[in-house]
Amino acid sequence: MNRTVDLNADMGESFGPWVMGRDADLLRVVTSANIACGFHAGDWDVMAATLREAVANGTGIGAHPGFPDLQGFGRRRMALSAESLRNLVCYQLGAARAMAAAAGGRVRHLKLHGALANMAAEDAAMARACYEGALAVDPDIIVMVLAATAQQQAVEALGCAWAGEIFADRAYNDDATLVDRSLPGAVIHDPEVAGRRMVDMVAAGAIVSQGGKRIPAAVDTICLHGDGKTALEIARSVKAALEAEGVTLKPFAGRRGAVSGGASAG
């Protein structure tokens, strides 16, 4: 196996004196960071500190917009109009771009968070509205999508730059959506299990569902959740397992157009 893949983590999700995750340590392992924009988590000081660390580490910077739901960590579903979704994403991306510029960096990608992402993975029209908000701010931004879902359908229709994402620490349904967190086995905490899964999926160019189904997918980047209790250990395990198989970790370049899954664009 001779290929490249990106390793990303959601972070910047602390709030005031309340700390979530080990962002500084994760930034020494991952190649891209999805930084909360203050709606589902994070605040201006946390954003600034996380962005400075990302710039210092040469990590690819992404905006991670979510629903306005601090108490529910953006994991509760909300009903918003298409216009409001566009504005919601536009607003948060604008904040991320300003904070990144102040830290000496730039936002190169966007990834939806939590319930917003899960709903967009089921509804291409909703995904399109979110991505239109981002593209109105930055037509060249790379949109990170849940591979083989309605999110991918939306970016393919828009013709924008995009990267396909799979998860190291989440189980999949047979339609490539994520197993609901309330169900057994939905979240993977064992670093060794996560590492083996990612080697298998990268080698196959496919998502492997909880039921064993293989779904061809654009595997450009692998995500782990920074709020997970074993997030740092999973990051290290996935990186070591992939590198042992000859896989190079580096930020994704982005791709355009439709694909049927398989080889990574790097």
Side-chain angles (χ1 to χ4, degrees), residues 176-250:
T177 59
L178 299 176
V179 174
D180 190 280
R181 283 178 174 267
S182 65
L183 299 176
V187 181
I188 295 158
H189 300 293
D190 189 321
E192 290 189 12
V193 170
R196 288 196 301 270
R197 288 177 77 243
M198 291 303 96
V199 168
D200 289 345
M201 291 192 200
V202 170
I207 290 165
V208 181
S209 76
Q210 197 174 51
K213 182 178 180 181
R214 288 179 174 257
I215 307 156
V219 181
D220 299 316
T221 183
I222 295 167
C223 176
L224 57 102
H225 291 84
D227 62 304
K229 60 184 180 182
T230 57
L232 181 59
E233 291 77 10
I234 286 176
R236 289 171 173 164
S237 176
V238 169
K239 180 178 181 179
L242 289 170
E243 289 181 339
E245 295 295 329
V247 178
T248 300
L249 270 62
K250 69 176 185 178

Side-chain angles (χ1 to χ4, degrees), residues 11 21-29 49-50 53-54 57 232:
M11 61 180 67
R22 298 167 64 183
D23 292 353
D25 292 327
L26 271 176
L27 282 166
R28 298 185 181 94
V29 182
T50 309
E53 287 275 357
N57 281 277
L232 181 59

Side-chain angles (χ1 to χ4, degrees), residues 15-226:
F15 190 83
W18 182 77
V19 176
M20 173 174 280
R22 298 167 64 183
D23 292 353
D25 292 327
L26 271 176
L27 282 166
R28 298 185 181 94
V29 182
V30 300
T31 48
S32 291
N34 318 306
I35 298 173
C37 302
F39 273 41
H40 77 274
D43 61 37
W44 49 93
D45 292 327
V46 170
M47 285 180 74
T50 309
L51 283 160
R52 286 194 298 268
E53 287 275 357
V55 170
N57 281 277
T59 309
I61 294 170
H64 196 34
F67 281 136
D69 179 25
L70 284 172
Q71 185 184 32
F73 198 65
R75 289 181 176 153
R76 298 184 290 195
R77 295 191 171 214
M78 300 178 70
L80 299 178
S81 69
E83 181 181 6
S84 188
L85 287 168
R86 282 190 285 269
N87 292 336
L88 178 82
V89 173
C90 181
Y91 186 101
Q92 292 180 72
L93 176 56
R97 280 165 54 94
M99 297 295 286
R106 70 178 183 90
V107 174
R108 66 187 301 269
H109 74 271
L110 175 129
K111 173 189 169 180
L112 302 180
H113 167 82
L116 180 61
N118 290 334
M119 292 172 71
E122 301 162 3
D123 184 341
M126 180 176 177
R128 182 176 183 123
C130 293
Y131 301 149
E132 285 173 343
L135 294 167
V137 176
D138 182 359
D140 297 320
I141 198 165
I142 303 170
V143 179
M144 190 185 291
V145 302
L146 293 177
T149 70
Q151 290 188 15
Q152 184 173 326
Q153 295 171 23
V155 289
E156 289 175 349
L158 285 166
C160 61
W162 62 277
E165 177 187 51
I166 63 172
F167 284 85
D169 56 4
R170 293 296 310 279
Y172 282 93
N173 296 306
D174 285 347
D175 63 355
T177 59
L178 299 176
V179 174
D180 190 280
R181 283 178 174 267
S182 65
L183 299 176
V187 181
I188 295 158
H189 300 293
D190 189 321
E192 290 189 12
V193 170
R196 288 196 301 270
R197 288 177 77 243
M198 291 303 96
V199 168
D200 289 345
M201 291 192 200
V202 170
I207 290 165
V208 181
S209 76
Q210 197 174 51
K213 182 178 180 181
R214 288 179 174 257
I215 307 156
V219 181
D220 299 316
T221 183
I222 295 167
C223 176
L224 57 102
H225 291 84

